[in-house]
Amino acid sequence: LDDGSIRLLDWEYAGQSDPRFDLANLSFNQHFTKEDDRRLVQYYYDEDNKLAEATIRLLRFVSAWREAMWCTLQHNISELDIDYLALSKKYFEQMERTAEDDQFEHCFAILDAASVGKTERDT
């Protein structure tokens, strides 16, 4: 992602997954709003892309799940004095809030429509 002055590089996941997952992690961890996600997608794809926006909004749920699982694992193996269970609980709560969002189901509908060859205008 390069806007001429800011560059984001994918160092952590090194292209091992869909780039929208990295964008969703950025969105989730920085507490982006839907409007922030729309702008992120616009900058990344250089156009509006409703499918990418919906995918990022859904992958925020997966990002929270991954963080919750990592904290749960760390609770059992880490020697650091960090309350990983409290962090895990925080991420599980964020998952719930994400799933309760009024547009969450609509995002699934956009993905479903795309998977059967419909355009975003059909949703």
Side-chain angles (χ1 to χ4, degrees):
L1 178 62
D2 181 356
D3 73 353
S5 63
I6 296 175
R7 289 182 177 87
L8 298 178
L9 303 175
D10 173 19
W11 295 110
E12 186 175 1
Y13 298 105
Q16 296 180 29
S17 66
D18 187 321
R20 293 172 294 188
F21 186 69
D22 289 326
L23 296 175
N25 279 328
L26 173 66
S27 172
F28 172 76
N29 288 306
Q30 297 305 312
H31 309 285
F32 280 12
T33 64
K34 291 177 189 112
E35 180 60 24
D36 294 331
D37 285 343
R38 187 192 65 74
R39 285 194 305 266
L40 178 65
V41 165
Q42 202 167 30
Y43 287 127
Y44 188 83
Y45 290 96
D46 203 27
E47 66 182 13
D48 287 330
N49 185 323
K50 298 295 183 197
L51 179 59
E53 283 180 52
T55 303
I56 287 169
R57 293 309 292 180
L58 292 171
L59 287 173
R60 287 170 53 94
F61 180 90
V62 177
S63 182
W65 177 82
R66 182 183 59 87
E67 294 290 346
M69 293 296 98
W70 185 86
C71 288
T72 301
L73 174 67
Q74 291 303 311
H75 170 71
N76 291 307
I77 66 172
S78 178
E79 295 178 12
L80 298 175
D81 186 24
I82 297 173
D83 189 351
Y84 284 110
L85 282 183
L87 285 172
S88 182
K89 181 180 179 198
K90 176 184 113 175
Y91 290 123
F92 280 123
E93 289 168 353
Q94 288 177 320
M95 286 173 59
E96 287 178 23
R97 283 193 302 277
T98 300
E100 291 168 353
D101 182 281
D102 60 340
Q103 290 294 305
F104 195 68
E105 290 296 322
H106 181 67
C107 291
F108 278 112
I110 291 171
L111 268 62
D112 187 46
S115 72
V116 294
K118 297 179 184 177
T119 67
E120 288 116 25
R121 286 185 226 76
D122 295 334
T123 60

